[in-house]
Amino acid sequence: MCSAILVSLLLATTARGEDDPFGSTWPEGPGRDETGYLCGACHSLRLVTQQGLSRSDWDETLDWMVEEQEMEPLEPDERALILTYLSTHFGIDHRPDHVQPGGLQAVPGFPSAKP
């Protein structure tokens, strides 16, 4: 019985890896699919994984995308789920070494940009 469950889990994991639209750098967790589909609709998910923003910076980024990039506003529950996913998996504690505090400082007009 135990080995049958293990084989089933292994097969499910293998199938997910082959069919996974987000790839191995997109961590599992609540909000994974919603965030991946939302972000991936307009740009590479790699852009997201490189940010290392705080929750408030992610929140500001979503506002900017609605106001400046014509993204549809999110329902409050969906926005909260996505913000939690982003700040948990791509927040300041998971900032890649090459990312400076404040995120995309060099991109004019981006909400975290510094003049």
Side-chain angles (χ1 to χ4, degrees):
M1 175 76 168
C2 214
S3 60
I5 293 171
L6 183 58
V7 169
S8 295
L9 287 172
L10 181 58
L11 289 174
T13 302
T14 303
R16 172 82 185 216
E18 292 170 2
D19 298 334
D20 188 353
F22 311 123
S24 62
T25 60
W26 203 250
E28 293 290 335
R32 180 184 196 265
D33 291 347
E34 295 85 348
T35 306
Y37 286 119
L38 175 74
C39 298
C42 297
H43 53 73
S44 165
L45 295 179
R46 189 163 189 224
L47 180 65
V48 178
T49 64
Q50 296 174 351
Q51 297 313 304
L53 301 176
S54 68
R55 185 182 179 95
S56 64
D57 285 339
W58 279 120
D59 195 37
E60 199 175 308
T61 300
L62 291 177
D63 286 340
W64 176 78
M65 285 190 253
V66 168
E67 294 166 8
E68 302 294 332
Q69 304 300 312
E70 301 178 15
M71 183 179 93
E72 290 293 318
L74 300 169
E75 293 296 322
D77 289 347
E78 184 179 24
R79 186 178 177 111
L81 179 68
I82 288 169
L83 282 172
T84 298
Y85 182 85
L86 289 170
S87 60
T88 299
H89 298 287
F90 307 114
I92 57 176
D93 292 341
H94 300 92
R95 184 176 285 157
D97 291 339
H98 68 277
V99 175
Q100 299 300 312
L104 290 174
Q105 295 182 5
V107 178
F110 196 80
S112 296
K114 307 294 184 222

